Amino acid sequence: VNYIYIYIYMNDLSDSFLSGEEENGIITKNIKNEINGNWISAPNSIHEARLKAKAKRRLRKTSSRDSGRGDSFSDNGDPSRGTNGTVPPTSPKSKLLDRKSRAGKGRGLPKKGGAGGKGVWGPPGEVYDLEEVDVKDPNYDEAQENCVYETVVPPLEEGDFEKTLTPIVQEYFEHGDTNEVAELLGELNLGSMSSGVPMLAVSLALEAKASHRELTSRLLTDLCGRVLSRRDVESSFDKLLRELPDLVLDTPGASQLVGQFIARAVKDKILSKSYLDGYKGRVDCVHARAALDRAAVLLKMGMGGLRIDNLWGTGGGQRPVIQLVREMTLLLKEYLLSGDNKEAERCLRELEVPHFHHEFVYEAIVMVLESKGEKTFKMVLQLLKFLWVSSIITVDQMRRGYERVYMDIAEINIDVPRAYFILEQFVDKSFSAGFICEKLRDLCPSRGRKRFVSEGDGGRFKLESY
């Protein structure tokens, strides 16, 4: 029995620390129950100790939020809430939906400073340092610290060479920017196929216009030293000379054109001057011999003053306006001498200025107004109708040409007194031929007419006075 009492007493002490009154009461009761070193049974005191320990355990289990609701304990240890024993209303929020910290820490700020969420690495604007290699990592390798990572471009395959470079060259014919072509070629790993670039560009230029050939010569000059070497250019022209029999089938004048490319390359110093000397007495192909002879003749003429750098001419809108006007005037004069409509059409096409054809219409009508006789009148009318039917001159360009004449007719009339009368006749004939509309015909200006009636005229108008 004594051992059991000792266990209960120690359990009571282990539950919690006692207040001063409780400690004194228990100790006093225990002292009274101990006589001569022996414990005396005291059932009432044991029962009270159990109830107090049970009440203290309940007190520890209650949350801190319920501590200020007037909780108290009765004398027998039962908790009583409120003065009337009624239970106060609890919070409407359950613990499941409560977002407050359980630990009672924090200042109510969002997690990770607002950088939380799925797939988010940090707040906006945060700069991460380079990740240091962890020496304790089981996958750590000492060679990682000295590694240098580079972007490796796989070499271009032979089957994809033409498919990749053909669009680049064709786009260059449109924009004419050699720097863009050099950047695109620099991104490719051409390898040993770099010598095929000049050959592909020249092959495409053989079937194109003269302005495109001029652009090709400039491209080869700018690429040499940046993307290509002189050895690449020489080997490329060697392949062109060997494949001339096949090129002539598609382009009959390929031999002469390749010879001009060779002469231009020698003049631009991307081919050595001794390049032609290496083929003397060693060429059996007729087409290759014709190309080399053409290049030799052009270089010899260049020594006499021929400008080989302007061999292909300047294409299209890259020429000055004054030069274009001069060439159109010469074209009209040659047509009045020859009367060949197709030749005039070919020359107008070669100018490559479809946006400037209104100038051709303007110069043609002014030439009619300044001429003396009906021959120029009829030939120019026939030429404009031919160019209209063949769709060389569009509706807009034809209309703009006539409107420009309408605007300048007052100044033209100063030098040509009969300009108004001739213009009205030409506009009427043009409308009858069907290449101008009725609205454009009605816009034709007319000078106020005066009647010069003299004896014997019978009231008739004098056409010579217009």
Side-chain angles (χ1 to χ4, degrees):
V1 177
N2 295 336
Y3 293 105
I4 295 174
Y5 293 155
I6 294 172
Y7 171 75
I8 293 173
Y9 177 71
M10 295 301 294
N11 189 17
D12 187 16
L13 292 176
S14 63
D15 287 339
S16 63
F17 295 99
L18 303 179
S19 61
E21 296 179 356
E22 292 173 348
E23 185 178 2
N24 295 333
I26 294 174
I27 293 174
T28 304
K29 291 180 181 180
N30 289 338
I31 291 174
K32 292 180 180 180
N33 293 335
E34 183 180 1
I35 300 174
N36 296 327
N38 298 322
W39 290 95
I40 302 175
S41 62
N44 294 331
S45 60
I46 293 173
H47 181 68
E48 292 177 0
R50 288 180 177 177
L51 292 177
K52 290 182 179 180
K54 186 177 179 181
K56 290 180 180 179
R57 284 194 297 270
R58 289 182 179 177
L59 179 63
R60 286 196 299 269
K61 290 181 180 179
T62 56
S63 62
S64 60
R65 290 176 290 177
D66 298 335
S67 61
R69 296 179 181 175
D71 295 347
S72 61
F73 296 91
S74 60
D75 295 337
N76 58 0
D78 295 332
S80 60
R81 298 187 177 183
T83 56
N84 299 328
T86 59
V87 181
T90 58
S91 175
K93 293 183 180 179
S94 63
K95 292 184 179 180
L96 180 62
L97 300 177
D98 190 5
R99 296 185 179 182
K100 293 185 179 180
S101 175
R102 298 291 181 271
K105 298 180 181 179
R107 296 174 293 169
L109 300 177
K111 286 184 177 181
K112 300 180 183 178
K118 185 177 180 180
V120 179
W121 286 11
E126 183 175 355
V127 180
Y128 294 93
D129 297 333
L130 295 176
E131 184 178 357
E132 297 182 359
V133 181
D134 188 5
V135 182
K136 298 181 180 180
D137 189 352
N139 297 325
Y140 171 73
D141 187 5
E142 294 181 358
Q144 293 180 355
E145 298 182 1
N146 298 326
C147 284
V148 178
Y149 298 95
E150 296 181 356
T151 303
V152 179
V153 180
L156 193 63
E157 297 181 0
E158 186 176 357
D160 299 334
F161 177 79
E162 186 174 352
K163 294 181 181 179
T164 306
L165 265 70
T166 300
I168 296 176
V169 177
Q170 290 177 346
E171 289 179 2
Y172 166 71
F173 289 159
E174 300 297 331
H175 57 73
D177 189 359
T178 57
N179 293 325
E180 182 176 349
V181 180
E183 292 177 0
L184 293 175
L185 295 180
E187 296 175 357
L188 301 175
N189 188 0
L190 298 176
S192 59
M193 291 187 293
S194 58
S195 60
V197 176
M199 179 178 176
L200 178 63
V202 173
S203 300
L204 294 175
L206 292 178
E207 302 176 359
K209 308 174 185 178
S211 59
H212 293 167
R213 295 165 193 156
E214 173 66 21
L215 291 174
T216 303
S217 296
R218 293 182 184 179
L219 178 64
L220 298 181
T221 304
D222 292 345
L223 292 182
C224 188
R226 299 175 59 182
V227 181
L228 307 174
S229 62
R230 280 193 175 186
R231 182 58 187 168
D232 294 334
V233 178
E234 290 181 1
S235 60
S236 182
F237 277 104
D238 292 340
K239 293 179 182 178
L240 277 172
L241 292 174
R242 290 195 298 267
E243 295 186 5
L244 264 180
D246 297 333
L247 295 175
V248 170
L249 297 178
D250 298 330
T251 308
S255 299
Q256 302 296 323
L257 295 176
V258 171
Q260 294 179 7
F261 272 111
I262 293 176
R264 178 66 181 271
V266 173
K267 180 64 174 60
D268 293 337
K269 299 181 180 180
I270 59 176
L271 280 179
S272 60
K273 294 182 179 179
S274 60
Y275 179 78
L276 297 178
D277 298 336
Y279 279 97
K280 286 184 177 180
R282 298 172 51 191
V283 181
D284 298 331
C285 178
V286 179
H287 303 291
R289 190 183 303 113
L292 294 172
D293 292 342
R294 175 64 174 171
V297 170
L298 289 175
L299 290 175
K300 186 177 295 185
M301 293 175 62
M303 296 179 182
L306 176 66
R307 292 187 58 186
I308 300 180
D309 55 351
N310 197 22
L311 185 63
W312 306 109
T314 307
Q318 299 180 5
R319 280 173 287 191
V321 176
I322 298 177
Q323 182 180 355
L324 289 174
V325 173
R326 188 184 303 114
E327 292 183 2
M328 288 182 178
T329 304
L330 292 175
L331 191 159
L332 287 169
K333 291 180 179 179
E334 290 178 1
Y335 166 72
L336 294 177
L337 294 175
S338 63
D340 191 351
N341 294 329
K342 293 184 178 181
E343 180 66 17
E345 177 189 359
R346 186 188 65 81
C347 294
L348 189 60
R349 284 181 182 272
E350 288 183 354
L351 291 179
E352 300 179 17
V353 283
H355 60 282
F356 202 60
H357 284 172
H358 60 86
E359 178 66 27
F360 180 82
V361 177
Y362 175 82
E363 295 293 338
I365 298 176
V366 171
M367 191 171 291
V368 172
L369 298 179
E370 295 177 351
S371 64
K372 298 179 180 179
E374 295 183 358
K375 180 181 178 182
T376 304
F377 187 98
K378 294 181 179 179
M379 291 186 68
V380 171
L381 186 67
Q382 181 183 359
L383 177 62
L384 292 180
K385 182 178 180 179
F386 178 80
L387 295 177
W388 165 265
V389 173
S390 59
S391 301
I392 302 300
I393 300 179
T394 61
V395 179
D396 181 64
Q397 295 296 317
M398 188 72 73
R399 176 182 56 80
R400 292 180 62 184
Y402 274 81
E403 288 178 351
R404 287 182 57 191
V405 177
Y406 294 167
M407 294 173 61
D408 296 343
I409 187 63
E411 297 180 2
I412 297 174
N413 188 69
I414 297 175
D415 300 328
V416 184
R418 302 179 69 247
Y420 279 96
F421 175 72
I422 298 174
L423 179 61
E424 287 183 1
Q425 286 187 332
F426 189 83
V427 170
D428 290 337
K429 293 291 184 180
S430 300
F431 175 73
S432 301
F435 58 86
I436 66 171
C437 61
E438 183 178 359
K439 182 179 179 180
L440 185 60
R441 182 198 64 177
D442 296 339
L443 292 176
C444 178
S446 60
R447 188 180 62 173
R449 299 178 179 180
K450 297 181 181 180
R451 293 190 178 188
F452 297 92
V453 181
S454 60
E455 185 178 356
D457 290 337
R460 292 178 299 174
F461 297 111
K462 290 185 178 180
L463 299 179
E464 293 79 10
S465 62
Y466 283 64

